[in-house]
Short mmCIF file of all heavy atoms in Angstrom, two decimals:
data_model
loop_
_atom_site.label_atom_id
_atom_site.label_comp_id
_atom_site.label_asym_id
_atom_site.label_seq_id
_atom_site.Cartn_x
_atom_site.Cartn_y
_atom_site.Cartn_z
N THR O 154 13.04 36.30 -8.25
CA THR O 154 13.86 35.11 -8.38
C THR O 154 12.98 33.90 -8.65
O THR O 154 11.84 33.83 -8.18
CB THR O 154 14.70 34.84 -7.11
OG1 THR O 154 13.83 34.70 -5.99
CG2 THR O 154 15.69 35.97 -6.86
N ASN O 155 13.53 32.95 -9.40
CA ASN O 155 12.82 31.71 -9.69
C ASN O 155 13.84 30.69 -10.20
O ASN O 155 14.94 31.05 -10.64
CB ASN O 155 11.73 31.92 -10.74
CG ASN O 155 10.67 30.82 -10.72
OD1 ASN O 155 10.66 29.98 -9.81
ND2 ASN O 155 9.79 30.81 -11.70
N THR O 156 13.49 29.43 -10.12
CA THR O 156 14.32 28.35 -10.66
C THR O 156 13.50 27.61 -11.71
O THR O 156 12.42 27.09 -11.41
CB THR O 156 14.77 27.37 -9.55
OG1 THR O 156 15.51 28.09 -8.56
CG2 THR O 156 15.65 26.28 -10.15
N VAL O 157 14.02 27.60 -12.93
CA VAL O 157 13.33 26.96 -14.06
C VAL O 157 14.26 25.94 -14.70
O VAL O 157 15.34 26.30 -15.19
CB VAL O 157 12.88 28.00 -15.10
CG1 VAL O 157 12.20 27.32 -16.29
CG2 VAL O 157 11.96 29.03 -14.47
N GLN O 158 13.86 24.68 -14.63
CA GLN O 158 14.64 23.58 -15.21
C GLN O 158 16.10 23.60 -14.73
O GLN O 158 17.03 23.44 -15.50
CB GLN O 158 14.59 23.64 -16.75
CG GLN O 158 13.19 23.44 -17.31
CD GLN O 158 13.15 23.50 -18.83
OE1 GLN O 158 14.14 23.86 -19.48
NE2 GLN O 158 12.01 23.15 -19.40
N GLY O 159 16.26 23.87 -13.42
CA GLY O 159 17.58 23.86 -12.80
C GLY O 159 18.36 25.14 -12.95
O GLY O 159 19.46 25.28 -12.38
N ASP O 160 17.85 26.12 -13.68
CA ASP O 160 18.53 27.40 -13.86
C ASP O 160 17.92 28.45 -12.94
O ASP O 160 16.68 28.56 -12.84
CB ASP O 160 18.42 27.88 -15.31
CG ASP O 160 19.16 26.98 -16.29
OD1 ASP O 160 20.19 26.42 -15.88
OD2 ASP O 160 18.69 26.83 -17.44
N ASP O 161 18.77 29.23 -12.29
CA ASP O 161 18.32 30.31 -11.41
C ASP O 161 18.11 31.58 -12.23
O ASP O 161 19.02 32.05 -12.92
CB ASP O 161 19.34 30.58 -10.30
CG ASP O 161 19.46 29.40 -9.34
OD1 ASP O 161 18.46 28.70 -9.15
OD2 ASP O 161 20.57 29.20 -8.79
N LEU O 162 16.91 32.13 -12.13
CA LEU O 162 16.56 33.35 -12.86
C LEU O 162 16.42 34.51 -11.87
O LEU O 162 15.87 34.35 -10.78
CB LEU O 162 15.25 33.18 -13.62
CG LEU O 162 15.17 32.03 -14.64
CD1 LEU O 162 13.80 32.03 -15.31
CD2 LEU O 162 16.27 32.15 -15.67
N THR O 163 16.91 35.69 -12.27
CA THR O 163 16.82 36.89 -11.45
C THR O 163 16.47 38.09 -12.33
O THR O 163 17.01 38.23 -13.43
CB THR O 163 18.14 37.18 -10.72
OG1 THR O 163 18.49 36.05 -9.91
CG2 THR O 163 18.01 38.39 -9.82
N TYR O 164 15.58 38.91 -11.82
CA TYR O 164 15.23 40.14 -12.54
C TYR O 164 15.02 41.25 -11.51
O TYR O 164 14.36 41.06 -10.48
CB TYR O 164 13.96 39.96 -13.37
CG TYR O 164 13.53 41.22 -14.10
CD1 TYR O 164 14.16 41.60 -15.28
CD2 TYR O 164 12.51 42.03 -13.59
CE1 TYR O 164 13.77 42.76 -15.95
CE2 TYR O 164 12.12 43.19 -14.25
CZ TYR O 164 12.76 43.55 -15.43
OH TYR O 164 12.39 44.69 -16.09
N ARG O 165 15.60 42.43 -11.79
CA ARG O 165 15.47 43.56 -10.87
C ARG O 165 14.53 44.60 -11.46
O ARG O 165 14.76 45.11 -12.56
CB ARG O 165 16.84 44.18 -10.61
CG ARG O 165 16.81 45.40 -9.68
CD ARG O 165 18.17 45.98 -9.43
NE ARG O 165 19.00 45.07 -8.66
CZ ARG O 165 20.20 45.41 -8.17
NH1 ARG O 165 20.69 46.62 -8.38
NH2 ARG O 165 20.90 44.53 -7.49
N ASN O 166 13.48 44.93 -10.71
CA ASN O 166 12.50 45.93 -11.12
C ASN O 166 12.64 47.16 -10.24
O ASN O 166 12.41 47.11 -9.02
CB ASN O 166 11.08 45.35 -10.99
CG ASN O 166 10.03 46.30 -11.53
OD1 ASN O 166 10.28 47.01 -12.50
ND2 ASN O 166 8.86 46.31 -10.92
N GLU O 167 13.04 48.28 -10.83
CA GLU O 167 13.24 49.52 -10.07
C GLU O 167 11.88 50.08 -9.64
O GLU O 167 10.97 50.24 -10.47
CB GLU O 167 13.97 50.55 -10.92
CG GLU O 167 15.35 50.11 -11.40
CD GLU O 167 16.35 49.99 -10.27
OE1 GLU O 167 16.14 50.64 -9.22
OE2 GLU O 167 17.36 49.27 -10.44
N ILE O 168 11.75 50.41 -8.35
CA ILE O 168 10.46 50.85 -7.81
C ILE O 168 10.58 52.14 -6.99
O ILE O 168 9.65 52.49 -6.26
CB ILE O 168 9.83 49.75 -6.93
CG1 ILE O 168 10.76 49.36 -5.79
CG2 ILE O 168 9.47 48.52 -7.77
CD1 ILE O 168 10.13 48.42 -4.77
N ARG O 169 11.69 52.86 -7.10
CA ARG O 169 11.91 54.02 -6.23
C ARG O 169 10.83 55.08 -6.40
O ARG O 169 10.46 55.77 -5.44
CB ARG O 169 13.29 54.63 -6.50
CG ARG O 169 13.69 55.64 -5.42
CD ARG O 169 15.08 56.19 -5.62
NE ARG O 169 15.13 57.15 -6.72
CZ ARG O 169 16.12 58.01 -6.92
NH1 ARG O 169 17.17 57.98 -6.10
NH2 ARG O 169 16.11 58.84 -7.92
N ASP O 170 10.30 55.23 -7.61
CA ASP O 170 9.28 56.26 -7.83
C ASP O 170 7.98 55.96 -7.09
O ASP O 170 7.14 56.85 -6.97
CB ASP O 170 8.99 56.38 -9.33
CG ASP O 170 10.15 57.00 -10.10
OD1 ASP O 170 11.00 57.64 -9.46
OD2 ASP O 170 10.22 56.83 -11.33
N GLY O 171 7.83 54.75 -6.59
CA GLY O 171 6.62 54.41 -5.86
C GLY O 171 6.71 54.63 -4.36
O GLY O 171 5.76 54.33 -3.63
N PHE O 172 7.86 55.19 -3.89
CA PHE O 172 8.08 55.35 -2.45
C PHE O 172 8.48 56.78 -2.11
O PHE O 172 9.17 57.45 -2.89
CB PHE O 172 9.18 54.39 -1.97
CG PHE O 172 8.75 52.95 -1.96
CD1 PHE O 172 8.78 52.20 -3.12
CD2 PHE O 172 8.31 52.35 -0.80
CE1 PHE O 172 8.38 50.88 -3.13
CE2 PHE O 172 7.90 51.02 -0.79
CZ PHE O 172 7.94 50.28 -1.97
N HIS O 173 8.03 57.23 -0.94
CA HIS O 173 8.43 58.55 -0.44
C HIS O 173 9.93 58.55 -0.15
O HIS O 173 10.49 57.55 0.29
CB HIS O 173 7.66 58.90 0.82
CG HIS O 173 6.18 59.06 0.61
ND1 HIS O 173 5.63 60.09 -0.11
CD2 HIS O 173 5.13 58.29 1.03
CE1 HIS O 173 4.32 59.97 -0.14
NE2 HIS O 173 3.98 58.88 0.54
N ARG O 174 10.55 59.69 -0.37
CA ARG O 174 12.00 59.79 -0.14
C ARG O 174 12.36 59.78 1.35
O ARG O 174 13.43 59.32 1.73
CB ARG O 174 12.55 61.07 -0.78
CG ARG O 174 12.45 61.11 -2.30
CD ARG O 174 13.33 60.05 -2.92
NE ARG O 174 13.32 60.13 -4.38
CZ ARG O 174 12.52 59.45 -5.17
NH1 ARG O 174 11.62 58.63 -4.62
NH2 ARG O 174 12.55 59.56 -6.47
N LEU O 175 11.47 60.30 2.19
CA LEU O 175 11.78 60.42 3.61
C LEU O 175 11.06 59.37 4.44
O LEU O 175 9.90 59.03 4.16
CB LEU O 175 11.42 61.82 4.13
CG LEU O 175 12.19 62.99 3.53
CD1 LEU O 175 11.70 64.30 4.13
CD2 LEU O 175 13.69 62.84 3.77
#
Side-chain angles (χ1 to χ4, degrees):
T154 59
N155 200 9
T156 301
V157 179
Q158 296 180 352
D160 294 327
D161 294 329
L162 302 181
T163 302
Y164 179 79
R165 179 179 292 188
N166 185 35
E167 300 292 337
I168 58 172
R169 192 176 74 163
D170 290 341
F172 289 82
H173 295 292
R174 295 294 184 267
L175 295 179

